[in-house]
Amino acid sequence: MLALAVQAISPVPNAAMHQPVTAPAAGSHAAVLMPALPEDWSALPDLKLRRRPLRTEALSSYVRDEVRSGRCAATANHLRVELAVLVAANGQLRRIRPQAIGCPTVEQYASGVMLRMARSNVAPSGEDRWFRTQLVFRWQ
């Protein structure tokens, strides 16, 4: 079973929190800018999906197997992965950054799960913005 936590939090606009993501084109002086991910994710607004994500045991079985094999640690039959998601002004996903939990395979897996869940499922915000969310993988 997979659970997606979503809460409403006010965004903290900050024009100084932008960084270039690509080199300028030949002969151009303009760089593409994207918001920088702040160190403190608590100020990020929560990611809201238009459609509810599917809940399935199959999504958690990989995480369960990683824990049971000793490659990842969990104190109970669940593991939570916090994610920061950069959404473009038009609602397309630009980046997903998992918060380190000491298990890179599950961090990357959670990023892939979030990509599949959120693709074409996020409303346009009118500006490029980071959001936060979490995935909780549960198993028996």
Side-chain angles (χ1 to χ4, degrees):
M1 170 172 47
L2 175 74
L4 178 67
V6 179
Q7 297 175 351
I9 297 176
S10 301
V12 179
N14 185 343
M17 294 179 60
H18 285 76
Q19 63 187 18
V21 291
T22 59
S28 170
H29 296 294
V32 176
L33 296 179
M34 71 172 213
L37 179 60
E39 287 186 36
D40 178 11
W41 292 8
S42 66
L44 295 176
D46 284 323
L47 182 67
K48 292 180 177 31
L49 301 178
R50 291 187 233 184
R51 295 175 309 280
R52 292 181 59 135
L54 297 175
R55 299 178 79 150
T56 175
E57 290 293 326
L59 292 173
S60 294
S61 63
Y62 175 78
V63 177
R64 178 201 62 216
D65 293 348
E66 289 294 290
V67 170
R68 288 184 179 164
S69 71
R71 289 186 289 271
C72 299
T75 57
N77 289 342
H78 71 277
L79 191 61
R80 179 180 29 224
V81 181
E82 305 283 336
L83 300 151
V85 180
L86 179 60
V87 178
N90 63 3
Q92 291 184 338
L93 301 183
R94 293 187 66 192
R95 298 229 169 139
I96 298 175
R97 170 117 12 114
Q99 198 165 52
I101 60 169
C103 186
T105 57
V106 170
E107 294 163 18
Q108 290 305 308
Y109 177 72
S111 296
V113 168
M114 180 52 59
L115 178 62
R116 287 188 302 275
M117 282 183 167
R119 183 178 287 148
S120 301
N121 197 12
V122 178
S125 66
E127 65 179 319
D128 291 3
R129 175 179 282 166
W130 284 100
F131 294 86
R132 69 178 178 171
T133 191
Q134 64 179 333
L135 295 176
V136 180
F137 299 96
R138 298 181 194 284
W139 59 91
Q140 301 271 342

PDB file of all heavy atoms in Angstrom, residues 107-119:
ATOM      1  N   GLU A 107      15.410   5.711  -2.345  1.00  0.00           N
ATOM      2  CA  GLU A 107      15.267   7.136  -2.679  1.00  0.00           C
ATOM      3  C   GLU A 107      14.988   7.295  -4.174  1.00  0.00           C
ATOM      4  O   GLU A 107      14.078   8.036  -4.568  1.00  0.00           O
ATOM      5  CB  GLU A 107      16.528   7.905  -2.293  1.00  0.00           C
ATOM      6  CG  GLU A 107      16.777   7.964  -0.805  1.00  0.00           C
ATOM      7  CD  GLU A 107      18.205   8.347  -0.452  1.00  0.00           C
ATOM      8  OE1 GLU A 107      18.922   8.901  -1.324  1.00  0.00           O
ATOM      9  OE2 GLU A 107      18.624   8.085   0.687  1.00  0.00           O
ATOM     10  N   GLN A 108      15.761   6.597  -5.005  1.00  0.00           N
ATOM     11  CA  GLN A 108      15.562   6.682  -6.453  1.00  0.00           C
ATOM     12  C   GLN A 108      14.250   6.023  -6.870  1.00  0.00           C
ATOM     13  O   GLN A 108      13.557   6.507  -7.759  1.00  0.00           O
ATOM     14  CB  GLN A 108      16.748   6.064  -7.195  1.00  0.00           C
ATOM     15  CG  GLN A 108      18.011   6.885  -7.069  1.00  0.00           C
ATOM     16  CD  GLN A 108      17.788   8.317  -7.530  1.00  0.00           C
ATOM     17  OE1 GLN A 108      17.303   8.580  -8.606  1.00  0.00           O
ATOM     18  NE2 GLN A 108      18.149   9.274  -6.666  1.00  0.00           N
ATOM     19  N   TYR A 109      13.905   4.925  -6.245  1.00  0.00           N
ATOM     20  CA  TYR A 109      12.644   4.251  -6.530  1.00  0.00           C
ATOM     21  C   TYR A 109      11.469   5.186  -6.226  1.00  0.00           C
ATOM     22  O   TYR A 109      10.539   5.323  -7.022  1.00  0.00           O
ATOM     23  CB  TYR A 109      12.542   2.966  -5.708  1.00  0.00           C
ATOM     24  CG  TYR A 109      11.245   2.226  -5.880  1.00  0.00           C
ATOM     25  CD1 TYR A 109      10.952   1.547  -7.059  1.00  0.00           C
ATOM     26  CD2 TYR A 109      10.304   2.208  -4.862  1.00  0.00           C
ATOM     27  CE1 TYR A 109       9.756   0.867  -7.217  1.00  0.00           C
ATOM     28  CE2 TYR A 109       9.101   1.531  -5.005  1.00  0.00           C
ATOM     29  CZ  TYR A 109       8.836   0.859  -6.179  1.00  0.00           C
ATOM     30  OH  TYR A 109       7.648   0.189  -6.336  1.00  0.00           O
ATOM     31  N   ALA A 110      11.523   5.847  -5.072  1.00  0.00           N
ATOM     32  CA  ALA A 110      10.458   6.785  -4.688  1.00  0.00           C
ATOM     33  C   ALA A 110      10.354   7.930  -5.691  1.00  0.00           C
ATOM     34  O   ALA A 110       9.250   8.373  -6.027  1.00  0.00           O
ATOM     35  CB  ALA A 110      10.697   7.318  -3.274  1.00  0.00           C
ATOM     36  N   SER A 111      11.483   8.396  -6.193  1.00  0.00           N
ATOM     37  CA  SER A 111      11.470   9.452  -7.206  1.00  0.00           C
ATOM     38  C   SER A 111      10.756   8.977  -8.468  1.00  0.00           C
ATOM     39  O   SER A 111       9.960   9.713  -9.058  1.00  0.00           O
ATOM     40  CB  SER A 111      12.899   9.887  -7.553  1.00  0.00           C
ATOM     41  OG  SER A 111      13.519  10.466  -6.430  1.00  0.00           O
ATOM     42  N   GLY A 112      11.024   7.753  -8.872  1.00  0.00           N
ATOM     43  CA  GLY A 112      10.357   7.195 -10.052  1.00  0.00           C
ATOM     44  C   GLY A 112       8.867   7.012  -9.840  1.00  0.00           C
ATOM     45  O   GLY A 112       8.059   7.286 -10.731  1.00  0.00           O
ATOM     46  N   VAL A 113       8.478   6.541  -8.660  1.00  0.00           N
ATOM     47  CA  VAL A 113       7.058   6.386  -8.341  1.00  0.00           C
ATOM     48  C   VAL A 113       6.370   7.749  -8.394  1.00  0.00           C
ATOM     49  O   VAL A 113       5.290   7.898  -8.979  1.00  0.00           O
ATOM     50  CB  VAL A 113       6.867   5.722  -6.955  1.00  0.00           C
ATOM     51  CG1 VAL A 113       5.415   5.824  -6.495  1.00  0.00           C
ATOM     52  CG2 VAL A 113       7.326   4.269  -6.990  1.00  0.00           C
ATOM     53  N   MET A 114       7.005   8.769  -7.815  1.00  0.00           N
ATOM     54  CA  MET A 114       6.419  10.105  -7.817  1.00  0.00           C
ATOM     55  C   MET A 114       6.321  10.651  -9.239  1.00  0.00           C
ATOM     56  O   MET A 114       5.318  11.278  -9.604  1.00  0.00           O
ATOM     57  CB  MET A 114       7.243  11.061  -6.947  1.00  0.00           C
ATOM     58  CG  MET A 114       6.699  12.480  -6.900  1.00  0.00           C
ATOM     59  SD  MET A 114       4.942  12.632  -6.476  1.00  0.00           S
ATOM     60  CE  MET A 114       4.894  11.850  -4.891  1.00  0.00           C
ATOM     61  N   LEU A 115       7.309  10.399 -10.052  1.00  0.00           N
ATOM     62  CA  LEU A 115       7.263  10.848 -11.442  1.00  0.00           C
ATOM     63  C   LEU A 115       6.047  10.258 -12.146  1.00  0.00           C
ATOM     64  O   LEU A 115       5.303  10.970 -12.824  1.00  0.00           O
ATOM     65  CB  LEU A 115       8.548  10.455 -12.169  1.00  0.00           C
ATOM     66  CG  LEU A 115       8.615  10.815 -13.650  1.00  0.00           C
ATOM     67  CD1 LEU A 115       8.540  12.323 -13.833  1.00  0.00           C
ATOM     68  CD2 LEU A 115       9.887  10.259 -14.252  1.00  0.00           C
ATOM     69  N   ARG A 116       5.817   8.964 -11.974  1.00  0.00           N
ATOM     70  CA  ARG A 116       4.661   8.325 -12.606  1.00  0.00           C
ATOM     71  C   ARG A 116       3.346   8.863 -12.042  1.00  0.00           C
ATOM     72  O   ARG A 116       2.389   9.070 -12.782  1.00  0.00           O
ATOM     73  CB  ARG A 116       4.732   6.812 -12.435  1.00  0.00           C
ATOM     74  CG  ARG A 116       5.795   6.181 -13.312  1.00  0.00           C
ATOM     75  CD  ARG A 116       5.733   4.669 -13.297  1.00  0.00           C
ATOM     76  NE  ARG A 116       5.875   4.068 -11.984  1.00  0.00           N
ATOM     77  CZ  ARG A 116       7.036   3.791 -11.387  1.00  0.00           C
ATOM     78  NH1 ARG A 116       8.173   4.083 -11.993  1.00  0.00           N
ATOM     79  NH2 ARG A 116       7.059   3.236 -10.205  1.00  0.00           N
ATOM     80  N   MET A 117       3.278   9.104 -10.747  1.00  0.00           N
ATOM     81  CA  MET A 117       2.050   9.602 -10.120  1.00  0.00           C
ATOM     82  C   MET A 117       1.723  11.028 -10.538  1.00  0.00           C
ATOM     83  O   MET A 117       0.556  11.367 -10.731  1.00  0.00           O
ATOM     84  CB  MET A 117       2.196   9.611  -8.601  1.00  0.00           C
ATOM     85  CG  MET A 117       2.054   8.325  -7.946  1.00  0.00           C
ATOM     86  SD  MET A 117       2.201   8.716  -6.187  1.00  0.00           S
ATOM     87  CE  MET A 117       1.647   7.212  -5.520  1.00  0.00           C
ATOM     88  N   ALA A 118       2.738  11.859 -10.611  1.00  0.00           N
ATOM     89  CA  ALA A 118       2.513  13.287 -10.806  1.00  0.00           C
ATOM     90  C   ALA A 118       2.522  13.717 -12.269  1.00  0.00           C
ATOM     91  O   ALA A 118       2.029  14.805 -12.582  1.00  0.00           O
ATOM     92  CB  ALA A 118       3.557  14.080 -10.021  1.00  0.00           C
ATOM     93  N   ARG A 119       3.050  12.898 -13.168  1.00  0.00           N
ATOM     94  CA  ARG A 119       3.082  13.273 -14.577  1.00  0.00           C
ATOM     95  C   ARG A 119       1.647  13.500 -15.069  1.00  0.00           C
ATOM     96  O   ARG A 119       0.785  12.666 -14.879  1.00  0.00           O
ATOM     97  CB  ARG A 119       3.754  12.184 -15.409  1.00  0.00           C
ATOM     98  CG  ARG A 119       3.870  12.577 -16.875  1.00  0.00           C
ATOM     99  CD  ARG A 119       4.566  11.525 -17.675  1.00  0.00           C
ATOM    100  NE  ARG A 119       5.985  11.554 -17.343  1.00  0.00           N
ATOM    101  CZ  ARG A 119       6.755  10.473 -17.348  1.00  0.00           C
ATOM    102  NH1 ARG A 119       6.276   9.303 -17.650  1.00  0.00           N
ATOM    103  NH2 ARG A 119       8.032  10.573 -17.050  1.00  0.00           N
TER     104      ARG A 119
END
